[in-house]
Coordinates of all heavy atoms in Angstrom, one line a residue:
A724 N 0.8 -1.2 0.0 CA 0.0 0.0 0.0 C 0.8 1.3 0.0 O 0.4 2.3 -0.3 CB -1.0 0.0 1.2
A725 N 2.2 1.1 0.3 CA 3.0 2.3 0.3 C 3.2 2.8 -1.1 O 3.2 2.1 -2.1 CB 4.4 1.9 0.9
I726 N 3.4 4.1 -1.2 CA 3.5 4.8 -2.6 C 4.8 4.3 -3.2 O 4.9 3.9 -4.4 CB 3.5 6.3 -2.5 CG1 2.2 6.7 -1.9 CG2 3.7 6.9 -3.8 CD1 0.9 6.3 -2.7
D727 N 5.9 4.3 -2.4 CA 7.2 3.8 -3.0 C 7.3 2.2 -2.9 O 6.8 1.6 -1.9 CB 8.4 4.4 -2.2 CG 8.5 5.9 -2.5 OD1 8.0 6.3 -3.5 OD2 9.1 6.5 -1.6
A728 N 7.8 1.6 -3.9 CA 7.8 0.2 -4.0 C 8.7 -0.5 -3.0 O 9.8 0.0 -2.7 CB 8.3 -0.2 -5.4
P729 N 8.3 -1.7 -2.5 CA 9.2 -2.5 -1.7 C 10.1 -3.4 -2.6 O 10.0 -3.2 -3.9 CB 8.3 -3.4 -0.9 CG 7.1 -3.5 -1.8 CD 7.0 -2.2 -2.5
Y730 N 10.9 -4.2 -2.1 CA 11.8 -5.2 -2.8 C 12.8 -4.4 -3.7 O 13.0 -4.8 -4.9 CB 11.0 -6.2 -3.6 CG 10.1 -7.1 -2.9 CD1 8.7 -6.8 -2.7 CD2 10.6 -8.2 -2.2 CE1 7.9 -7.7 -2.0 CE2 9.8 -9.0 -1.5 CZ 8.5 -8.8 -1.4 OH 7.7 -9.6 -0.6
L731 N 13.3 -3.3 -3.3 CA 14.2 -2.5 -4.1 C 15.5 -3.2 -4.2 O 16.0 -3.9 -3.4 CB 14.4 -1.1 -3.4 CG 13.1 -0.2 -3.3 CD1 13.4 1.0 -2.5 CD2 12.5 0.1 -4.7
H732 N 16.2 -2.7 -5.3 CA 17.6 -3.2 -5.6 C 17.8 -4.6 -5.7 O 18.7 -5.2 -5.2 CB 18.5 -2.6 -4.5 CG 19.8 -2.1 -5.1 ND1 20.7 -2.9 -5.8 CD2 20.4 -0.9 -5.0 CE1 21.8 -2.2 -6.1 NE2 21.6 -0.9 -5.6
T733 N 16.8 -5.3 -6.3 CA 16.9 -6.8 -6.5 C 16.9 -7.2 -8.0 O 16.2 -6.6 -8.8 CB 15.6 -7.5 -5.9 OG1 14.4 -6.9 -6.4 CG2 15.6 -7.4 -4.4
K734 N 17.8 -8.1 -8.3 CA 17.9 -8.7 -9.6 C 16.6 -9.6 -9.7 O 16.0 -10.0 -8.7 CB 19.1 -9.5 -9.8 CG 20.4 -8.7 -9.7 CD 21.6 -9.5 -9.9 CE 22.8 -8.7 -9.8 NZ 24.1 -9.5 -9.9
E735 N 16.3 -10.1 -10.9 CA 15.0 -10.9 -11.1 C 15.1 -12.1 -10.2 O 14.1 -12.4 -9.6 CB 14.9 -11.2 -12.5 CG 13.6 -11.8 -12.9 CD 13.4 -11.9 -14.4 OE1 13.7 -11.0 -15.2 OE2 12.9 -13.0 -14.8
I736 N 16.1 -12.9 -10.2 CA 16.2 -14.1 -9.4 C 16.1 -13.8 -7.9 O 15.5 -14.6 -7.2 CB 17.4 -15.0 -9.8 CG1 17.4 -16.3 -9.2 CG2 18.7 -14.3 -9.3 CD1 16.3 -17.2 -9.8
Q737 N 16.8 -12.8 -7.5 CA 16.7 -12.4 -6.0 C 15.3 -12.0 -5.7 O 14.8 -12.4 -4.6 CB 17.6 -11.2 -5.7 CG 19.1 -11.5 -5.9 CD 19.9 -10.2 -5.9 OE1 19.4 -9.1 -6.4 NE2 21.0 -10.2 -5.2
L738 N 14.6 -11.3 -6.5 CA 13.2 -10.9 -6.3 C 12.3 -12.2 -6.2 O 11.5 -12.3 -5.3 CB 12.7 -10.0 -7.5 CG 11.2 -9.6 -7.4 CD1 10.9 -8.9 -6.2 CD2 10.9 -8.9 -8.7
K739 N 12.5 -13.1 -7.1 CA 11.6 -14.3 -7.1 C 11.9 -15.1 -5.8 O 10.9 -15.6 -5.2 CB 11.9 -15.2 -8.3 CG 11.4 -14.6 -9.6 CD 11.8 -15.5 -10.8 CE 11.3 -14.9 -12.1 NZ 11.6 -15.8 -13.2
E740 N 13.1 -15.2 -5.4 CA 13.4 -15.9 -4.1 C 12.8 -15.2 -2.9 O 12.2 -15.8 -2.1 CB 15.0 -16.0 -4.0 CG 15.6 -16.9 -4.9 CD 17.1 -16.8 -5.0 OE1 17.7 -15.9 -4.3 OE2 17.8 -17.6 -5.6
R741 N 12.9 -13.9 -2.8 CA 12.4 -13.1 -1.7 C 10.8 -13.2 -1.7 O 10.2 -13.4 -0.6 CB 12.8 -11.7 -1.7 CG 14.3 -11.5 -1.3 CD 14.7 -10.1 -1.2 NE 13.9 -9.3 -0.3 CZ 14.0 -8.0 -0.3 NH1 14.8 -7.3 -1.0 NH2 13.2 -7.3 0.6
V742 N 10.2 -13.1 -2.8 CA 8.8 -13.2 -2.9 C 8.3 -14.6 -2.5 O 7.3 -14.7 -1.8 CB 8.3 -12.8 -4.3 CG1 6.8 -13.2 -4.5 CG2 8.5 -11.3 -4.6
A743 N 9.0 -15.7 -2.9 CA 8.7 -17.0 -2.5 C 8.8 -17.2 -1.0 O 7.9 -17.8 -0.4 CB 9.6 -18.0 -3.3
I744 N 9.9 -16.7 -0.4 CA 10.1 -16.8 1.0 C 9.0 -16.1 1.8 O 8.5 -16.6 2.8 CB 11.5 -16.2 1.4 CG1 12.6 -17.1 1.0 CG2 11.5 -15.9 2.9 CD1 14.0 -16.5 1.0
D745 N 8.6 -14.9 1.3 CA 7.4 -14.2 1.9 C 6.1 -14.8 1.6 O 5.1 -14.3 2.1 CB 7.5 -12.7 1.4 CG 8.7 -12.0 1.9 OD1 9.4 -12.4 2.8 OD2 9.0 -10.9 1.3
K746 N 6.0 -15.8 0.8 CA 4.8 -16.5 0.4 C 3.8 -15.6 -0.2 O 2.6 -15.5 0.2 CB 4.2 -17.3 1.6 CG 5.1 -18.3 2.1 CD 4.5 -19.1 3.2 CE 5.5 -20.2 3.6 NZ 5.3 -20.7 4.9
R747 N 4.3 -14.8 -1.2 CA 3.4 -13.8 -1.9 C 3.6 -14.1 -3.4 O 4.4 -14.9 -3.8 CB 3.9 -12.4 -1.5 CG 3.8 -12.2 0.1 CD 4.1 -10.8 0.5 NE 3.2 -9.8 0.0 CZ 2.0 -9.5 0.5 NH1 1.5 -10.1 1.5 NH2 1.3 -8.5 0.0
E748 N 2.9 -13.3 -4.2 CA 3.0 -13.4 -5.6 C 3.1 -12.0 -6.2 O 2.5 -11.1 -5.7 CB 1.7 -14.0 -6.2 CG 1.5 -15.5 -5.8 CD 0.3 -16.1 -6.4 OE1 -0.2 -15.5 -7.4 OE2 -0.1 -17.2 -6.0
L749 N 4.0 -11.9 -7.3 CA 4.1 -10.7 -8.0 C 2.8 -10.2 -8.6 O 2.0 -11.1 -9.1 CB 5.2 -10.8 -9.0 CG 6.6 -10.9 -8.6 CD1 7.5 -11.2 -9.7 CD2 7.1 -9.7 -7.8
L750 N 2.5 -8.9 -8.6 CA 1.4 -8.5 -9.3 C 1.5 -8.6 -10.8 O 2.6 -8.4 -11.3 CB 1.1 -7.0 -9.0 CG 0.7 -6.6 -7.5 CD1 0.4 -5.1 -7.5 CD2 -0.4 -7.4 -7.1
T751 N 0.4 -8.8 -11.5 CA 0.3 -8.7 -12.9 C 0.2 -7.3 -13.3 O -0.1 -6.5 -12.4 CB -0.8 -9.6 -13.5 OG1 -2.0 -9.0 -13.0 CG2 -0.7 -11.0 -13.1
L752 N 0.3 -7.0 -14.6 CA 0.1 -5.6 -15.0 C -1.4 -5.2 -14.7 O -1.6 -4.1 -14.2 CB 0.3 -5.5 -16.5 CG 0.1 -4.1 -17.1 CD1 0.8 -3.0 -16.4 CD2 0.4 -4.1 -18.6
N753 N -2.3 -6.1 -15.0 CA -3.7 -5.7 -14.7 C -4.0 -5.4 -13.2 O -4.6 -4.4 -12.8 CB -4.7 -6.8 -15.1 CG -4.8 -6.9 -16.6 OD1 -4.5 -6.0 -17.3 ND2 -5.3 -8.1 -17.0
Q754 N -3.4 -6.2 -12.3 CA -3.5 -6.0 -10.8 C -2.8 -4.7 -10.5 O -3.3 -4.0 -9.6 CB -2.9 -7.2 -10.1 CG -3.7 -8.5 -10.2 CD -2.9 -9.6 -9.6 OE1 -1.7 -9.7 -9.8 NE2 -3.6 -10.5 -8.9
Y755 N -1.7 -4.4 -11.1 CA -1.0 -3.2 -10.8 C -1.8 -1.9 -11.2 O -1.9 -0.9 -10.4 CB 0.4 -3.1 -11.5 CG 1.2 -1.9 -11.3 CD1 1.8 -1.7 -10.1 CD2 1.4 -1.0 -12.2 CE1 2.6 -0.6 -9.8 CE2 2.2 0.2 -12.0 CZ 2.8 0.3 -10.8 OH 3.5 1.4 -10.6
I756 N -2.5 -2.0 -12.3 CA -3.3 -0.9 -12.7 C -4.5 -0.6 -11.7 O -4.7 0.5 -11.3 CB -3.9 -1.1 -14.1 CG1 -2.7 -1.1 -15.2 CG2 -5.0 -0.1 -14.5 CD1 -3.1 -1.6 -16.5
V757 N -5.1 -1.7 -11.3 CA -6.2 -1.6 -10.3 C -5.6 -1.0 -9.0 O -6.2 -0.1 -8.4 CB -6.9 -2.9 -10.1 CG1 -7.9 -2.9 -9.0 CG2 -7.6 -3.3 -11.5
A758 N -4.5 -1.6 -8.5 CA -3.9 -1.1 -7.3 C -3.5 0.3 -7.4 O -3.7 1.1 -6.4 CB -2.7 -2.0 -6.9
G759 N -3.0 0.8 -8.5 CA -2.6 2.2 -8.7 C -3.8 3.1 -8.6 O -3.8 4.2 -8.0
Q760 N -5.0 2.7 -9.2 CA -6.2 3.5 -9.2 C -6.7 3.5 -7.7 O -7.2 4.5 -7.3 CB -7.2 2.9 -10.2 CG -6.8 3.0 -11.6 CD -6.5 4.4 -12.0 OE1 -7.2 5.3 -11.7 NE2 -5.4 4.6 -12.8
D761 N -6.7 2.4 -7.1 CA -7.2 2.3 -5.7 C -6.3 3.2 -4.8 O -6.8 4.0 -3.9 CB -7.1 0.9 -5.1 CG -8.2 0.0 -5.6 OD1 -9.2 0.5 -6.2 OD2 -8.1 -1.2 -5.4
S762 N -5.0 3.2 -5.0 CA -4.1 4.1 -4.2 C -4.5 5.5 -4.4 O -4.5 6.3 -3.5 CB -2.7 3.8 -4.7 OG -1.8 4.7 -4.0
K763 N -4.7 5.9 -5.7 CA -5.1 7.3 -5.9 C -6.4 7.7 -5.2 O -6.5 8.8 -4.6 CB -5.2 7.5 -7.5 CG -5.6 8.9 -7.9 CD -4.6 10.0 -7.5 CE -5.0 11.3 -8.1 NZ -4.0 12.4 -7.8
L764 N -7.4 6.8 -5.3 CA -8.6 7.0 -4.6 C -8.5 7.2 -3.1 O -9.1 8.1 -2.5 CB -9.6 5.9 -5.0 CG -11.0 6.0 -4.3 CD1 -11.8 7.1 -4.9 CD2 -11.8 4.7 -4.6
F765 N -7.7 6.3 -2.5 CA -7.6 6.3 -1.0 C -6.5 7.2 -0.4 O -6.6 7.7 0.7 CB -7.3 4.8 -0.5 CG -8.5 3.9 -0.8 CD1 -8.3 2.8 -1.6 CD2 -9.8 4.2 -0.3 CE1 -9.4 1.9 -1.8 CE2 -10.8 3.3 -0.6 CZ -10.7 2.2 -1.4
T766 N -5.5 7.5 -1.2 CA -4.3 8.3 -0.7 C -4.1 9.6 -1.4 O -3.3 10.4 -0.9 CB -3.0 7.5 -0.7 OG1 -2.6 7.3 -2.0 CG2 -3.2 6.1 0.0
G767 N -4.7 9.7 -2.6 CA -4.4 10.9 -3.4 C -3.2 10.8 -4.2 O -2.8 11.7 -5.0
Q768 N -2.5 9.6 -4.2 CA -1.3 9.4 -5.0 C -1.3 8.1 -5.7 O -1.9 7.1 -5.1 CB 0.0 9.5 -4.1 CG 0.3 10.8 -3.6 CD 1.6 10.7 -2.8 OE1 1.7 10.2 -1.7 NE2 2.7 11.2 -3.4
Y769 N -0.8 8.0 -6.9 CA -0.6 6.7 -7.6 C 0.6 6.0 -7.0 O 1.5 6.6 -6.5 CB -0.4 7.0 -9.1 CG -1.6 7.6 -9.7 CD1 -1.7 8.9 -10.0 CD2 -2.7 6.7 -10.1 CE1 -2.8 9.5 -10.7 CE2 -3.8 7.3 -10.8 CZ -3.8 8.7 -11.0 OH -4.9 9.2 -11.6
L770 N 0.6 4.7 -7.2 CA 1.7 3.9 -6.8 C 2.9 4.3 -7.6 O 2.8 4.5 -8.8 CB 1.4 2.4 -7.0 CG 0.3 1.8 -6.2 CD1 0.1 0.3 -6.6 CD2 0.6 1.8 -4.7
D771 N 4.1 4.4 -7.0 CA 5.3 4.6 -7.7 C 5.4 5.9 -8.4 O 6.2 6.1 -9.3 CB 5.7 3.4 -8.6 CG 5.6 2.1 -7.9 OD1 6.3 2.0 -6.9 OD2 4.8 1.2 -8.3
E772 N 4.6 6.9 -8.1 CA 4.6 8.2 -8.8 C 5.7 9.1 -8.4 O 6.0 10.0 -9.2 CB 3.2 8.9 -8.7 CG 3.1 9.6 -7.3 CD 1.9 10.5 -7.2 OE1 0.9 10.2 -7.9 OE2 2.0 11.5 -6.5
T773 N 6.4 8.8 -7.3 CA 7.4 9.8 -6.9 C 8.8 9.4 -7.4 O 9.5 10.2 -7.9 CB 7.4 10.0 -5.4 OG1 7.5 8.7 -4.8 CG2 6.1 10.6 -4.9
K774 N 9.2 8.2 -7.0 CA 10.6 7.8 -7.4 C 10.9 6.4 -7.7 O 12.0 6.0 -8.1 CB 11.6 8.3 -6.2 CG 11.3 7.6 -4.9 CD 12.2 8.2 -3.8 CE 11.8 7.5 -2.5 NZ 12.5 8.1 -1.4
T775 N 9.9 5.5 -7.5 CA 10.2 4.1 -7.8 C 9.4 3.6 -8.9 O 8.5 4.2 -9.5 CB 9.8 3.2 -6.5 OG1 8.4 3.4 -6.2 CG2 10.7 3.6 -5.3
W776 N 9.8 2.4 -9.4 CA 9.1 1.7 -10.5 C 9.2 0.2 -10.1 O 10.0 -0.2 -9.2 CB 9.7 2.0 -11.8 CG 11.1 2.0 -12.0 CD1 12.1 2.7 -11.3 CD2 11.9 1.2 -13.0 NE1 13.3 2.4 -11.7 CE2 13.2 1.5 -12.8 CE3 11.5 0.4 -14.0 CZ2 14.3 1.0 -13.6 CZ3 12.5 -0.1 -14.8 CH2 13.9 0.2 -14.6
V777 N 8.5 -0.7 -10.8 CA 8.4 -2.1 -10.4 C 8.5 -3.1 -11.5 O 8.1 -2.8 -12.6 CB 7.0 -2.3 -9.6 CG1 7.0 -1.5 -8.3 CG2 5.8 -2.0 -10.5
R778 N 9.0 -4.2 -11.1 CA 8.9 -5.4 -12.0 C 7.5 -6.1 -11.8 O 7.1 -6.0 -10.6 CB 10.0 -6.4 -11.7 CG 11.4 -6.0 -12.0 CD 12.3 -7.2 -11.8 NE 13.7 -6.8 -11.7 CZ 14.6 -6.9 -12.6 NH1 14.2 -7.3 -13.8 NH2 15.8 -6.5 -12.4
L779 N 6.9 -6.6 -12.8 CA 5.6 -7.3 -12.7 C 5.7 -8.7 -13.2 O 6.6 -9.1 -13.9 CB 4.6 -6.5 -13.5 CG 4.4 -5.1 -13.0 CD1 3.6 -4.3 -14.1 CD2 3.7 -5.0 -11.7
A780 N 4.7 -9.5 -12.8 CA 4.6 -10.9 -13.2 C 4.3 -11.0 -14.7 O 4.7 -12.0 -15.3 CB 3.6 -11.6 -12.4
S781 N 3.7 -10.0 -15.3 CA 3.4 -10.0 -16.7 C 4.7 -10.0 -17.5 O 5.6 -9.4 -17.1 CB 2.5 -8.8 -17.1 OG 1.3 -8.9 -16.4
R782 N 4.6 -10.7 -18.7 CA 5.8 -10.8 -19.5 C 5.5 -10.4 -20.9 O 4.4 -10.5 -21.4 CB 6.4 -12.2 -19.5 CG 7.0 -12.5 -18.1 CD 7.7 -13.9 -18.1 NE 8.4 -14.2 -16.9 CZ 9.6 -13.9 -16.7 NH1 10.4 -13.3 -17.6 NH2 10.2 -14.1 -15.5
S783 N 6.6 -9.9 -21.6 CA 6.5 -9.7 -23.1 C 7.8 -10.2 -23.7 O 8.9 -9.9 -23.2 CB 6.3 -8.2 -23.3 OG 6.3 -7.9 -24.7
D784 N 7.7 -11.0 -24.6 CA 8.8 -11.7 -25.3 C 9.8 -12.3 -24.3 O 11.0 -12.2 -24.4 CB 9.6 -10.6 -26.1 CG 8.9 -10.2 -27.3 OD1 8.1 -10.9 -27.9 OD2 9.0 -9.0 -27.7
G785 N 9.2 -12.9 -23.2 CA 9.9 -13.6 -22.2 C 10.5 -12.7 -21.1 O 11.1 -13.3 -20.1
R786 N 10.4 -11.5 -21.2 CA 11.0 -10.5 -20.2 C 9.9 -10.0 -19.3 O 8.8 -9.8 -19.8 CB 11.7 -9.4 -20.9 CG 12.9 -9.8 -21.5 CD 13.6 -8.6 -22.1 NE 14.9 -9.0 -22.7 CZ 16.0 -8.3 -22.7 NH1 16.0 -7.1 -22.1 NH2 17.1 -8.7 -23.3
M787 N 10.2 -9.9 -18.0 CA 9.2 -9.3 -17.1 C 9.0 -7.9 -17.5 O 9.8 -7.1 -17.9 CB 9.8 -9.3 -15.6 CG 10.0 -10.7 -15.0 SD 10.6 -10.5 -13.4 CE 9.1 -10.4 -12.5
S788 N 7.7 -7.5 -17.4 CA 7.3 -6.1 -17.6 C 7.7 -5.2 -16.4 O 7.7 -5.8 -15.3 CB 5.8 -6.0 -17.9 OG 5.4 -6.7 -19.1
D789 N 7.9 -4.0 -16.7 CA 8.2 -3.1 -15.6 C 7.3 -1.9 -15.8 O 6.9 -1.6 -16.9 CB 9.7 -2.6 -15.5 CG 10.2 -2.1 -16.8 OD1 10.6 -2.9 -17.7 OD2 10.1 -0.8 -17.0
A790 N 6.9 -1.2 -14.7 CA 5.9 -0.2 -14.8 C 6.0 0.9 -13.7 O 6.6 0.6 -12.7 CB 4.5 -0.7 -14.8
S791 N 5.4 2.0 -13.9 CA 5.3 3.1 -12.9 C 4.2 4.0 -13.4 O 3.8 4.1 -14.6 CB 6.6 3.8 -12.7 OG 6.9 4.6 -13.8
F792 N 3.6 4.7 -12.4 CA 2.7 5.8 -12.7 C 3.4 7.2 -12.6 O 4.2 7.3 -11.8 CB 1.5 5.8 -11.7 CG 0.5 4.7 -12.0 CD1 0.6 3.5 -11.3 CD2 -0.5 4.9 -12.8 CE1 -0.4 2.5 -11.5 CE2 -1.5 3.9 -13.1 CZ -1.4 2.7 -12.4
A793 N 2.9 8.1 -13.5 CA 3.3 9.5 -13.3 C 2.3 10.2 -12.4 O 1.2 9.6 -12.2 CB 3.3 10.2 -14.7
Q794 N 2.6 11.4 -11.9 CA 1.7 12.1 -11.0 C 0.4 12.4 -11.6 O -0.6 12.6 -10.9 CB 2.4 13.3 -10.4 CG 3.5 13.0 -9.4 CD 4.2 14.2 -8.9 OE1 4.2 15.3 -9.5 NE2 4.8 14.1 -7.8
D795 N 0.3 12.6 -13.0 CA -0.9 12.9 -13.6 C -1.7 11.6 -14.0 O -2.8 11.7 -14.6 CB -0.6 13.7 -14.9 CG 0.2 13.0 -15.9 OD1 0.5 11.8 -15.8 OD2 0.4 13.6 -17.0
G796 N -1.2 10.5 -13.6 CA -2.0 9.2 -13.9 C -1.5 8.5 -15.1 O -2.0 7.3 -15.3
D797 N -0.6 9.0 -15.8 CA -0.1 8.3 -17.0 C 0.6 7.0 -16.5 O 1.4 7.1 -15.5 CB 0.9 9.1 -17.8 CG 0.3 10.2 -18.7 OD1 -1.0 10.1 -18.8 OD2 1.0 11.0 -19.3
L798 N 0.4 6.0 -17.2 CA 1.0 4.7 -16.9 C 2.2 4.4 -17.9 O 1.9 4.5 -19.1 CB 0.0 3.5 -16.9 CG 0.5 2.1 -16.7 CD1 1.0 1.9 -15.3 CD2 -0.6 1.2 -17.0
F799 N 3.4 4.1 -17.4 CA 4.5 3.7 -18.2 C 4.8 2.3 -18.1 O 4.9 1.8 -16.9 CB 5.7 4.5 -17.8 CG 5.5 6.0 -18.0 CD1 5.2 6.8 -16.8 CD2 5.7 6.6 -19.2 CE1 5.0 8.2 -17.0 CE2 5.5 8.0 -19.3 CZ 5.1 8.8 -18.2
V800 N 4.8 1.5 -19.1 CA 5.1 0.1 -19.1 C 6.1 -0.2 -20.2 O 6.0 0.3 -21.3 CB 3.7 -0.7 -19.4 CG1 4.0 -2.2 -19.4 CG2 2.6 -0.3 -18.5
D801 N 7.0 -1.1 -19.8 CA 8.1 -1.5 -20.8 C 8.4 -3.0 -20.4 O 7.9 -3.5 -19.4 CB 9.3 -0.6 -20.6 CG 10.1 -0.6 -21.8 OD1 9.9 -1.4 -22.8 OD2 11.0 0.3 -21.9
S802 N 9.2 -3.6 -21.2 CA 9.7 -5.0 -21.0 C 11.0 -5.2 -21.6 O 11.3 -6.2 -22.2 CB 8.6 -6.0 -21.5 OG 8.5 -5.8 -22.9
N803 N 11.9 -4.3 -21.4 CA 13.3 -4.4 -21.9 C 14.3 -4.5 -20.9 O 15.5 -4.4 -21.1 CB 13.6 -3.2 -22.9 CG 13.6 -1.9 -22.1 OD1 13.4 -1.8 -21.0 ND2 14.0 -0.9 -22.9
L804 N 13.9 -4.8 -19.6 CA 14.9 -5.0 -18.5 C 15.7 -6.3 -18.7 O 15.1 -7.4 -18.9 CB 14.2 -5.0 -17.2 CG 13.8 -3.7 -16.6 CD1 13.1 -3.9 -15.2 CD2 14.9 -2.7 -16.5
N805 N 17.0 -6.3 -18.5 CA 17.8 -7.4 -18.3 C 17.5 -8.1 -16.9 O 17.3 -7.3 -16.0 CB 19.2 -7.1 -18.5 CG 20.2 -8.2 -18.4 OD1 20.2 -8.9 -17.3 ND2 20.9 -8.4 -19.4
A806 N 17.5 -9.4 -16.9 CA 17.2 -10.0 -15.6 C 18.1 -9.7 -14.5 O 17.8 -9.7 -13.3 CB 17.1 -11.5 -15.8
D807 N 19.4 -9.3 -14.8 CA 20.4 -8.9 -13.8 C 20.3 -7.5 -13.5 O 21.1 -7.0 -12.6 CB 21.8 -9.3 -14.3 CG 22.0 -10.8 -14.3 OD1 21.3 -11.5 -13.5 OD2 22.8 -11.3 -15.1
Y808 N 19.5 -6.7 -14.1 CA 19.5 -5.2 -13.9 C 18.8 -5.0 -12.5 O 17.9 -5.6 -12.1 CB 18.7 -4.5 -14.9 CG 18.7 -3.0 -14.7 CD1 19.7 -2.2 -15.1 CD2 17.6 -2.4 -14.1 CE1 19.7 -0.8 -14.8 CE2 17.6 -1.0 -13.8 CZ 18.7 -0.3 -14.2 OH 18.7 1.1 -13.9
H809 N 19.4 -4.1 -11.7 CA 18.9 -3.6 -10.4 C 19.4 -2.3 -10.1 O 20.4 -1.9 -10.6 CB 19.3 -4.7 -9.4 CG 20.8 -4.8 -9.1 ND1 21.4 -4.0 -8.2 CD2 21.7 -5.5 -9.8 CE1 22.7 -4.3 -8.2 NE2 22.9 -5.2 -9.2
N810 N 18.6 -1.5 -9.3 CA 19.0 -0.3 -8.8 C 18.2 0.1 -7.6 O 17.3 -0.6 -7.3 CB 19.1 0.8 -9.9 CG 17.7 1.3 -10.3 OD1 16.7 1.3 -9.6 ND2 17.7 1.8 -11.6
S811 N 18.5 1.2 -7.0 CA 17.8 1.6 -5.8 C 16.4 2.1 -5.9 O 15.7 2.3 -4.9 CB 18.6 2.6 -5.0 OG 18.7 3.8 -5.8
T812 N 15.9 2.2 -7.2 CA 14.6 2.7 -7.4 C 13.7 1.6 -8.0 O 12.5 1.8 -8.2 CB 14.5 4.0 -8.3 OG1 15.1 3.7 -9.5 CG2 15.3 5.1 -7.6
L813 N 14.3 0.5 -8.4 CA 13.5 -0.6 -9.0 C 13.1 -1.6 -8.0 O 14.0 -2.2 -7.3 CB 14.3 -1.3 -10.1 CG 13.7 -2.5 -10.8 CD1 12.4 -2.2 -11.4 CD2 14.7 -3.1 -11.8
G814 N 11.8 -1.9 -7.8 CA 11.3 -2.9 -6.9 C 10.3 -3.7 -7.5 O 10.3 -4.0 -8.7
A815 N 9.3 -4.1 -6.7 CA 8.2 -5.0 -7.1 C 7.1 -4.8 -6.2 O 7.2 -4.3 -5.0 CB 8.6 -6.4 -7.2
R816 N 5.9 -5.2 -6.7 CA 4.7 -5.2 -5.8 C 4.1 -6.6 -5.8 O 4.2 -7.3 -6.8 CB 3.7 -4.2 -6.4 CG 4.2 -2.9 -6.4 CD 3.2 -1.9 -5.9 NE 3.8 -0.6 -5.8 CZ 3.9 0.1 -4.6 NH1 3.5 -0.4 -3.5 NH2 4.5 1.3 -4.6
T817 N 3.6 -7.0 -4.7 CA 3.1 -8.4 -4.5 C 1.7 -8.3 -3.9 O 1.2 -7.4 -3.4 CB 4.0 -9.1 -3.6 OG1 4.0 -8.5 -2.3 CG2 5.4 -9.3 -4.1
S818 N 1.1 -9.5 -4.0 CA -0.2 -9.7 -3.3 C -0.2 -11.0 -2.5 O 0.7 -11.8 -2.7 CB -1.3 -9.9 -4.4 OG -1.1 -11.0 -5.1
G819 N -1.0 -11.1 -1.6 CA -1.1 -12.2 -0.7 C -1.2 -11.8 0.7 O -1.0 -10.6 1.1
V820 N -1.4 -12.7 1.6 CA -1.5 -12.5 3.0 C -0.3 -13.0 3.8 O 0.0 -14.2 3.6 CB -2.8 -13.1 3.6 CG1 -2.9 -12.8 5.1 CG2 -4.0 -12.5 2.9
S821 N 0.4 -12.2 4.5 CA 1.6 -12.7 5.3 C 1.1 -13.5 6.4 O 0.1 -13.2 7.1 CB 2.4 -11.5 5.8 OG 2.9 -10.7 4.7
A822 N 1.8 -14.6 6.6 CA 1.4 -15.5 7.7 C 1.8 -15.0 9.1 O 2.7 -14.1 9.2 CB 2.1 -16.8 7.5

């Protein structure tokens, strides 16, 4: 529910391992869009509108999609990330209930 993404600075394999340990699932692009709209409705801000962006479970040509919202609600989606790419603003969003 936080505006800035969790799971920052993770390569794709590290992200999958952490998500599995947490017993959660990565959001798909469709889920991310709905969550972003919900966030705007409840908090006045879109997910990742300030400084972060996320990897998603959705794929294009075998690569994980990545996305973020702009402050005006524009959605940016791409799928050209290398699996080993990571930085301090790239994270992920998940769903599930923590045990």
Side-chain angles (χ1 to χ4, degrees):
I726 300 304
D727 293 336
Y730 298 100
L731 297 172
H732 220 302
T733 54
K734 297 178 183 180
E735 190 173 315
I736 191 70
Q737 294 168 322
L738 174 60
K739 289 179 182 180
E740 290 169 353
R741 287 185 55 192
V742 168
I744 288 168
D745 292 346
K746 297 182 179 163
R747 300 183 64 82
E748 294 184 15
L749 290 172
L750 292 187
T751 65
L752 177 57
N753 289 343
Q754 291 170 318
Y755 181 71
I756 292 168
V757 171
Q760 296 301 317
D761 285 348
S762 177
K763 178 65 173 179
L764 180 65
F765 295 121
T766 70
Q768 289 185 287
Y769 293 99
L770 297 176
D771 308 304
E772 75 170 33
T773 55
K774 62 182 174 186
T775 58
W776 49 306
V777 293
R778 291 185 199 263
L779 300 168
S781 299
R782 292 184 173 270
S783 179
D784 293 327
R786 291 183 177 217
M787 291 180 89
S788 295
D789 55 275
S791 68
F792 282 96
Q794 290 180 336
D795 65 2
D797 282 351
L798 174 66
F799 300 97
V800 181
D801 206 347
S802 58
N803 65 356
L804 284 181
N805 181 301
D807 287 334
Y808 182 80
H809 61 96
N810 72 27
S811 61
T812 62
L813 175 60
R816 299 228 174 239
T817 60
S818 64
V820 178
S821 298

